[in-house]
């Protein structure tokens, strides 16, 4: 019983719900909503958040890597590294950091080199804003379960969805968003 209470409190801390007593904000409401709609159980969500935080901490503590250029996602212990690095050595270091993190079962990457950049940051922000707007407005998609990253005008989806149709709709929106070069889906479908 104590373990259940501890895990529940830990879950509320991670989603920002402890701050409800002090006053709610939009981020708290969004976190609670996305947590309640997540396809994974609370235990899996907590484990994945811990894995993600550990890897992000390792990146921050690395003198060669930047947390601003790399997104880290974790679903059931499968880690997805998305972003840009300067060279192959940084890419290898990033993978090693993730590989040497407790509870990581598998690593997938979508890493590009900064020197190959052919897309402006403003284009990436426009793609992200347009795509998020479309996903949020579609009532058939649970947009809080779909992570969207844009790297050099390529769209990368991550997350967990309940039906393959949600993944197909997300890909369709990306394909019809101006300036998108390519689309990659790492969405996990739980039917």
């Amino acid at each position: 019983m104590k373990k259940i209470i501890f895990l529940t409190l830990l879950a509320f801390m991670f989603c920002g719900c402890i701050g409800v007593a002090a006053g709610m904000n939009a981020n708290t409401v969004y976190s609670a909503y996305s947590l309640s709609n997540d396809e994974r159980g609370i235990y899996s969500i907590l484990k994945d958040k811990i894995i993600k935080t550990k890897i992000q901490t390792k990146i921050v503590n690395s003198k060669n890597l930047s947390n601003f250029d790399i997104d880290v996602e974790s679903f059931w212990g499968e880690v997805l590294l998305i972003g840009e690095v300067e060279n192959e050595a940084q890419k290898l270091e990033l993978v090693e950091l993730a590989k040497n993190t407790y509870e990581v079962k598998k690593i997938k990457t979508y890493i590009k080199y900064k020197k190959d950049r052919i897309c402006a940051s403003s284009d990436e922000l426009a793609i992200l804003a347009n795509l998020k707007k479309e996903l949020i407005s579609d009532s058939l998609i649970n947009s809080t379960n779909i992570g969207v990253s844009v790297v050099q005008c390529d769209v990368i989806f991550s997350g967990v969805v309940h039906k393959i149709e949600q993944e197909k709709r997300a890909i369709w929106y990306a394909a019809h968003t101006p300036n998108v070069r390519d689309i990659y889906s790492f969405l996990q479908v739980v039917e």
Side-chain angles (χ1 to χ4, degrees):
M1 182 66 175
K2 287 182 183 179
K3 186 175 182 180
I4 292 171
I5 293 171
F6 172 74
L7 289 175
T8 303
L9 287 173
L10 195 59
F12 283 123
M13 275 184 4
F14 274 113
C15 77
C17 297
I18 294 294
V20 171
M24 287 182 136
N25 62 34
N27 193 31
T28 302
V29 173
Y30 177 81
S31 294
Y33 175 77
S34 64
L35 183 66
S36 69
N37 285 304
D38 200 307
E39 301 295 333
R40 302 167 290 169
I42 190 76
Y43 183 70
S44 292
I45 294 169
L46 286 174
K47 281 178 66 174
D48 287 332
K49 287 205 178 262
I50 290 168
I51 290 169
K52 178 178 178 172
T53 302
K54 284 181 180 180
I55 294 171
Q56 287 174 324
T57 301
K58 288 179 178 184
I59 292 170
V60 166
N61 291 329
S62 168
K63 61 182 176 186
N64 299 322
L65 300 171
S66 168
N67 239 4
F68 295 111
D69 299 323
I70 301 162
D71 290 331
V72 179
E73 298 294 342
S74 179
F75 303 97
W76 292 293
E78 292 186 12
V79 172
L80 178 58
L81 304 169
I82 304 168
E84 295 178 291
V85 295
E86 294 289 340
N87 52 47
E88 184 70 17
Q90 286 183 342
K91 182 178 179 179
L92 293 173
E93 180 181 355
L94 179 61
V95 171
E96 271 307 304
L97 290 177
K99 198 183 292 185
N100 293 321
T101 302
Y102 181 68
E103 296 285 335
V104 171
K105 296 175 183 167
K106 188 175 187 179
I107 300 168
K108 298 175 183 175
T109 64
Y110 184 85
I111 302 294
K112 289 209 167 197
Y113 299 113
K114 291 180 183 179
K115 65 180 170 126
D116 298 334
R117 178 170 274 284
I118 58 171
C119 179
S121 296
S122 58
D123 291 333
E124 291 176 341
L125 289 173
I127 290 169
L128 184 63
N130 288 333
L131 189 51
K132 281 293 211 178
K133 180 187 73 135
E134 295 296 337
L135 293 176
I136 289 169
S137 65
D138 189 324
S139 63
L140 299 176
I141 294 177
N142 188 349
S143 61
T144 59
N145 289 356
I146 300 176
V148 181
S149 299
V150 181
V151 179
Q152 296 183 16
C153 288
D154 290 347
V155 171
I156 302 93
F157 291 113
S158 61
V160 182
V161 293
H162 188 64
K163 297 181 180 193
I164 191 76
E165 288 77 23
Q166 292 177 332
E167 179 182 36
K168 288 178 181 178
R169 290 178 76 82
I171 291 170
W172 186 88
Y173 284 119
H176 292 84
T177 300
N179 298 323
V180 170
R181 294 189 59 227
D182 217 340
I183 304 161
Y184 299 88
S185 177
F186 292 99
L187 287 169
Q188 296 182 28
V189 181
V190 181
E191 289 199 59

